Amino acid sequence: VLRGHRQEVWRLALLPDDKTLVSGGKDGTVCFWDTSVTHQHQPYITLPVEHIVNWSFAPDGRSVLTLDQQGQVAQWMGEDFQQKEALMEVGANCYAPLFSNDGRFLAAACTNGVLPIWDVSPRVQHRLTNTLGVVSPVRFLANGKKLITWSANGNMCHEWDLMTGLEIQSWDSPVTFNDVALTPDERSCLGFGDEGGAVLRNLADESQTKLNLGALEIDVGSYSPDGKVFAIASSLGYARVWDTATWRPLKTLGGFLKGVHAVGFSGNGQRLATGSGDKEAVKLWDTESWQDVFTLEGDGSGFRGVEFSPDGNTIAWANHTTVLLWLAPSWAEINAAEAKEKAAIQQP
């Protein structure tokens, strides 16, 4: 598989040497390929974690935090992410765990309605409760100083101040609630569910607007870094993006063999990663043309999410057992590969 065009490939020609392939793209670019070279299969790094429950990049993007089914929190470091440091034990009786964006805090749900929050240092920071039923952590905000939760009893979302342990506000969730997505400025959050209904809550003035996204079985959603685009993943096998100023659909991304379970924007907003399964574990899309850029293969379902590292050099995708990581080559590696291909083409 030869990759390099940013848009559709429209023309191919094989030169008389029977090894140089010329390709022409929709955007006018022309590429030369040495077909005698065996191109390396897309490699990825696997974290040796058994039955992963949740994970998060550390802020520098050079390490990954994981929580396994036995309740152990570990940090994986080094160039190949194989150096493990056990950080803490939270026990195996908690579920629906959530790491904060900076990886510092961990929240989890318990069957008794108590919601513990740990500083991964480690120590328990708070124990929140507001119902006799299940309370699940949904999103950290304000650099881990606030938390949005969902309670099954009453189908309500709640915002908490983690510095005081007090509830700030609460509101009704959409029917068959699945998740919420925060705007980049964290002034609003959009809650959504399986039936296409959504509630846009302004956290600043506590006003809200009901939306009908018209998309069924939404697993997750994410705003672009500038907040102008919102993307969702649907288990029905597609992703969809909207203009958040008008909530007009911009594009439906299809052609998947299986369901789509995760979406994530790159830090510069120029790429959208969608997480599916197996041969389409990660598909990367150009957010200007919405063209399919390339596909990364994995093994499993990808229900545990897909993300770019903070520096943009690594893509991580997780299934029900482990995390797979794809590392972008350095400029030195790119230059060396291009020099080798150029030398091969210039040989008589």
Side-chain angles (χ1 to χ4, degrees):
V1 178
L2 308 176
R3 305 184 187 279
H5 284 284
R6 292 189 61 186
Q7 295 191 15
E8 298 170 6
V9 181
W10 279 8
R11 296 291 185 272
L12 293 174
L14 187 65
L15 298 188
D17 63 5
D18 286 333
K19 69 175 185 179
T20 303
L21 181 69
V22 185
S23 59
K26 176 181 178 180
D27 58 358
T29 59
V30 176
C31 294
F32 290 78
W33 312 89
D34 181 2
T35 62
S36 66
V37 176
T38 301
H39 290 265
Q40 188 178 26
H41 185 71
Q42 298 166 348
Y44 56 76
I45 295 172
T46 302
L47 297 186
V49 185
E50 292 186 3
H51 303 293
I52 188 169
V53 179
N54 209 340
W55 62 279
S56 173
F57 274 110
D60 60 2
R62 298 176 183 175
S63 63
V64 174
L65 298 169
T66 61
L67 173 65
D68 64 24
Q69 206 167 53
Q70 287 69 46
Q72 183 185 78
V73 179
Q75 186 172 13
W76 302 82
M77 301 166 288
E79 291 186 2
D80 55 359
F81 293 87
Q82 299 299 297
Q83 299 176 22
K84 176 184 178 182
E85 179 184 352
L87 298 180
M88 60 184 295
E89 300 282 344
V90 300
N93 62 338
C94 295
Y95 61 96
L98 174 71
F99 282 102
S100 61
N101 290 338
D102 59 4
R104 179 183 173 187
F105 298 106
L106 172 66
C110 296
T111 55
N112 60 1
V114 174
L115 198 155
I117 302 167
W118 293 271
D119 185 329
V120 182
S121 301
R123 60 189 175 89
V124 175
Q125 289 286 99
H126 294 288
R127 292 185 183 272
L128 304 180
T129 182
N130 69 327
T131 176
L132 298 176
V134 174
V135 185
S136 300
V138 180
R139 284 288 180 274
F140 279 100
L141 61 159
N143 294 321
K145 297 178 181 178
K146 296 180 180 180
L147 176 69
I148 294 176
T149 66
W150 173 79
S151 47
N153 186 8
N155 190 30
M156 299 281 291
C157 282
H158 306 260
E159 182 185 12
W160 298 84
D161 184 335
L162 298 184
M163 299 298 100
T164 63
L166 299 177
E167 181 180 308
I168 300 173
Q169 58 181 302
S170 62
W171 62 96
D172 291 330
S173 303
V175 178
T176 61
F177 172 81
N178 276 350
D179 201 0
V180 304
L182 287 166
T183 55
D185 60 10
E186 298 185 347
R187 290 181 59 85
S188 300
C189 73
L190 181 67
F192 44 85
D194 278 346
E195 299 181 4
V199 175
L200 181 62
R201 178 78 174 187
N202 187 312
L203 299 177
D205 63 16
E206 302 187 8
S207 63
Q208 63 186 49
T209 304
K210 290 186 178 181
L211 301 173
N212 185 3
L213 298 179
L216 301 178
E217 297 191 27
I218 301 174
D219 282 353
V220 297
S222 179
Y223 282 90
S224 61
D226 61 7
K228 295 181 179 179
V229 176
F230 179 71
I232 61 94
S234 169
S235 289
L236 295 180
Y238 63 88
R240 186 171 294 166
V241 291
W242 287 264
D243 178 343
T244 58
T246 62
W247 288 104
R248 176 179 60 88
L250 295 175
K251 187 74 174 179
T252 297
L253 309 177
F256 295 89
L257 296 173
K258 298 183 178 181
V260 185
H261 309 301
V263 288
F265 285 93
S266 62
N268 58 15
Q270 296 178 2
R271 294 288 185 267
L272 173 69
T274 55
S276 185
D278 299 325
K279 292 184 178 297
E280 297 175 327
V282 178
K283 291 177 77 72
L284 209 63
W285 306 82
D286 181 278
T287 57
E288 182 177 355
S289 63
W290 298 112
Q291 292 287 331
D292 183 352
V293 178
F294 63 69
T295 301
L296 299 170
E297 296 183 13
D299 182 19
S301 65
F303 271 100
R304 300 297 187 198
V306 61
E307 286 186 22
F308 287 86
S309 61
D311 60 10
N313 291 330
T314 305
I315 296 175
W317 168 93
N319 55 31
H320 282 299
T321 58
T322 191
V323 179
L324 305 184
L325 300 132
W326 290 269
L327 278 65
S330 65
W331 283 112
E333 292 171 327
I334 293 173
N335 292 334
E338 290 182 344
K340 183 178 179 180
E341 292 185 4
K342 183 177 180 180
I345 293 174
Q346 292 177 345
Q347 287 181 355

